[in-house]
Amino acid sequence: MPADAVVIGAGPNGLVAANMLADRGWDVVVCEEQPEPGGAVRSGAVTEPGFVHDLYSAFYPLTPASRYIAPLELERHGLRWRRAPAAVAHPHPDGRCAVLSTDLEETCASLDSFAPGDGDAWRRLFELWQRAGPHLFGALLRPLPPIRPAAGLIRALGPRGVADFGRFSLLSARRLAEESFRGEGGGWIITGNALHADLTPDSAGGGLFGWVLCCLGQQFGFPVAEGGAGSITEALVRRFRGLGGEVICDTPIERIELRAGRARSAVAADGSRFEARRAILADCGAPALYLKMLPRDAVSERERRQLRRFQYDNSTFKVNWALGAPIPWRSEDARGAGTVHVADGMEGLTRATVHLAGGSIPDRPFLVLGQYSEADPSRAPAGAEAAWAYTHVPQQARHDAAGELSGDWAGADRERFADRMEAEVERLAPGFRQLILSRHIQTPLDLEASNRNLVGGAINGGTAQLYQQTIFRPITGLGRPSTPVPGLYLASASAHPGGGLHGGPGGNAASTAIKRDRLRRMLRANWSGDRL
Ligand SMILES: Cc1cc2nc3c(=O)[nH]c(=O)nc-3n(C[C@H](O)[C@H](O)[C@H](O)COP(=O)(O)OP(=O)(O)OC[C@H]3O[C@@H](n4cnc5c(N)ncnc54)[C@H](O)[C@@H]3O)c2cc1C
């Protein structure tokens, strides 16, 4: 029996889309290649008994602000959010520590400790967010062009304010910090957040990216899911199944078949065929969808050329640790943060990204580290700690800045690079290594093997650099989820607005599919109906 819609991939974007379609009464089937749903939102017991580790994404400042995820009310389907008192801390070996607390006064006091007046500078930046943020975020999380949010932004800031905001949006993280703060702490926090994506301290637009994450952190904290990231997926699946939806795992889709020029069925590796009456939504990497899964003649040469130059973000190397006790940060302030940036201030952030840009494995990798004892003690036995850290390495390593490794992640480099990451934590938290009960490593190869969208260990479905955002994502066009094939929509992080748990690509794909279907039904009597 054909379904109304087939969703390929049960990552968060696929599941958000599936829920939205099911809410409209569509009969939806989700086909997932892996044995379990969730994509990069899964957790597991991979170290010692009693420890739960988030295997990919872990903290979710983008989620509470999402116009697609918030209305799903996942809390009514078993999800509980937890927050540490501080969203992010950036400790320095000299003992200073910048903190983005969920309490505005505490954030300001932390930045004032770097230079008096920096607290007020942060207050002004956060006040700008309170006026502009909802419109900006609204603009990102809807199909382009975002007419209503743009009008809201003009109303909120005035025409001259919008022009200033345009300039502000293009600043690098370093320049934004230089223009805003006298001391170093504000720059560490904003730049460290910009570097969660594959941006550098000097990337145009990196300031906006870092500022958005910091302001979301100020407003909502960096929430984590009680019991593990997998409980977000469980809530999405539970809700969807409650609406009659079906999730079928162990089902890799290899081809999309067209009839009369329209996407009609998704064909699995074993030949099973999943037919769709109304739409197929693909939570797949854009190059895989366009260049491998569609018939060659369905994609023009221009589109193929652009897809061949599609740039994935840097690779990622992740370590999960079972620790006998919380991390003994030298700086007390780092102990209350859910997320810790490990780098020697702006210099350390710059050094790691310069190495990456030159194709080198950083000798002093910048780590994004997560710890749970403050936010969610259920992740580890009493008194213990479940922690993780990831860092970026080049997609194709040409050298190692320390002259030791070759990027052979299947061989000895796997353990040696994990040792290098641990040495970085140890410098800020002497005694850390002695607490390690066991560790679990995820190399770029492991990441891709567990989810084909994480190409080469890329975590954002494609670079976050400006030249591959909005109307340039995934190819130059209108930045919409539509594809060259009627009835087929791109619903993954390869589509605008990119990576992170906000459901933007899935939500945009579902809302576009619903609108197109409505129009098509209205035009059914007309020959053009099937072209939508
Ligand atoms: C290590 C890591 C850390 C991250 N940290 C954070 C974080 O802390 N906060 C945050 O907000 N975001 C984070 N992210 C990013 C976030 O997880 C992703 O942007 C998000 O998961 C993208 O969702 P998606 O649905 O587009 O794709 P994915 O989550 O990658 O899911 C895609 C799914 O589709 C399936 N699939 C693909 N092709 C096929 C096919 N042909 N047939 C069948 N199934 C298929 C895959 O198996 C997978 O299950 C992180 C990602 C990683 C990898």
Side-chain angles (χ1 to χ4, degrees):
M1 254 295 267
D4 287 323
V6 174
V7 176
I8 306 170
N13 280 311
L15 292 172
V16 165
N19 270 282
M20 287 173 62
L21 295 172
D23 278 341
R24 293 300 181 108
W26 289 35
D27 162 30
V28 184
V29 172
V30 180
C31 298
E32 167 56 49
E33 170 169 31
Q34 298 295 325
E36 56 170 4
V41 184
R42 285 184 275 170
S43 40
V46 289
T47 56
E48 300 289 312
F51 287 81
V52 177
H53 299 276
D54 290 345
L55 297 174
Y56 311 91
S57 57
F59 53 89
Y60 300 105
L62 299 160
T63 315
S66 164
R67 68 189 289 264
Y68 291 127
I69 299 184
L72 300 181
E73 298 185 311
L74 297 179
E75 296 77 4
R76 294 178 58 186
H77 300 271
L79 176 63
R80 282 192 64 189
W81 292 110
R82 307 292 299 248
R83 287 168 182 78
V88 188
H90 191 132
H92 193 278
D94 67 11
R96 290 177 298 161
C97 182
V99 175
L100 179 74
S101 166
T102 47
D103 177 329
L104 180 61
E105 295 312 313
E106 281 180 23
T107 306
C108 294
S110 171
L111 298 184
D112 273 336
S113 73
F114 285 81
D118 278 3
D120 279 340
W122 173 248
R123 246 185 221 103
R124 283 192 292 277
L125 286 172
F126 187 58
E127 197 255 334
L128 176 64
W129 166 258
Q130 286 171 313
R131 285 190 294 139
H135 305 293
L136 176 72
F137 213 65
L140 290 175
L141 296 195
R142 70 176 65 220
L144 299 172
I147 294 166
R148 214 179 297 162
L153 196 64
I154 295 170
R155 268 199 312 278
L157 300 181
R160 196 168 294 167
V162 167
D164 279 346
F165 191 70
R167 176 182 178 279
F168 176 82
S169 307
L170 295 175
L171 294 177
S172 68
R174 188 193 306 279
R175 186 62 203 157
L176 190 155
E178 284 167 357
E179 291 186 3
S180 307
F181 304 108
R182 290 194 306 119
E184 293 174 275
W188 298 352
I189 292 278
I190 288 179
T191 309
N193 274 285
L195 267 57
H196 289 200
D198 64 331
L199 301 172
T200 74
D202 299 298
S203 300
L208 185 81
F209 195 99
W211 171 76
V212 167
L213 275 190
C214 287
C215 291
L216 287 169
Q218 184 66 75
Q219 188 173 353
F220 300 110
F222 275 12
V224 300
E226 185 176 86
S231 54
I232 301 171
T233 296
E234 280 163 25
L236 280 163
V237 170
R238 195 174 294 130
R239 186 183 187 283
F240 175 58
R241 288 194 171 134
L243 294 164
E246 198 181 351
V247 180
I248 308 174
C249 290
D250 293 309
T251 305
I253 299 297
E254 301 302 349
R255 281 182 304 114
I256 291 167
E257 281 183 350
L258 279 50
R259 262 202 319 278
R262 187 176 175 83
R264 289 292 182 190
S265 47
V267 184
D270 66 2
S272 330
R273 185 171 270 96
F274 298 87
E275 301 222 2
R277 278 189 295 260
R278 296 161 99 170
I280 296 181
L281 282 73
D283 185 1
C284 305
L289 177 67
Y290 283 62
L291 300 177
K292 293 188 185 154
M293 295 166 71
L294 282 173
R296 198 183 164 83
D297 58 5
V299 184
S300 72
E301 192 42 48
R302 173 186 162 272
E303 289 155 341
R304 300 181 77 80
R305 217 176 22 251
Q306 293 204 11
L307 262 302
R308 282 195 292 267
R309 75 173 187 217
F310 184 87
Q311 185 187 344
Y312 272 98
D313 36 311
N314 292 318
S315 292
T316 306
F317 194 109
K318 184 166 185 282
V319 185
N320 305 298
W321 292 286
L323 302 173
I327 300 176
W329 299 106
R330 197 182 277 130
S331 164
E332 196 64 40
D333 287 347
R335 299 185 183 193
T339 306
V340 181
H341 291 162
V342 177
D344 288 3
M346 190 66 99
E347 218 175 283
L349 296 169
T350 305
R351 180 190 179 93
T353 52
V354 166
H355 285 159
L356 284 170
S360 285
I361 301 168
D363 56 357
R364 300 277 316 276
F366 159 54
L367 313 186
V368 179
L369 180 146
Q371 54 186 7
Y372 293 94
S373 51
E374 289 282 343
D376 183 10
S378 78
R379 306 292 186 103
E385 175 70 285
W388 56 264
Y390 73 68
T391 189
H392 294 302
V393 291
Q395 279 277 350
Q396 253 95 44
R398 284 199 283 269
H399 3 73
D400 173 22
E404 296 164 356
L405 312 178
S406 64
D408 169 21
W409 304 126
D413 287 359
R414 173 190 178 88
E415 300 293 333
R416 293 172 75 191
F417 192 68
D419 293 344
R420 191 179 288 180
M421 289 170 66
E422 285 174 3
E424 290 304 310
V425 186
E426 184 75 24
R427 292 177 76 244
L428 295 168
F432 163 73
R433 275 194 289 226
Q434 284 166 9
L435 298 176
I436 299 173
L437 305 174
S438 64
R439 74 181 182 191
H440 167 260
I441 298 171
Q442 292 169 283
T443 68
L445 302 174
D446 299 325
L447 290 171
E448 184 169 345
S450 66
N451 175 351
R452 67 166 92 174
N453 283 18
L454 308 180
V455 176
I459 68 174
N460 275 319
T463 181
Q465 299 279 359
L466 275 185
Y467 54 78
Q468 202 170 273
Q469 294 285 33
T470 61
I471 59 162
F472 308 115
R473 192 175 187 93
I475 56 175
T476 308
L478 298 174
R480 298 213 177 146
S482 331
T483 69
V485 176
L488 174 67
Y489 302 91
L490 179 64
S492 76
S494 278
H496 169 74
L501 187 66
H502 42 64
N508 286 348
S511 63
T512 305
I514 291 164
K515 276 190 208 128
R516 292 280 174 95
D517 180 70
R518 201 182 299 135
L519 191 57
R520 185 167 151 255
R521 282 159 176 264
M522 277 167 51
L523 297 173
R524 179 148 279 173
N526 185 308
W527 68 269
S528 61
D530 249 23
R531 300 302 307 166
L532 290 164

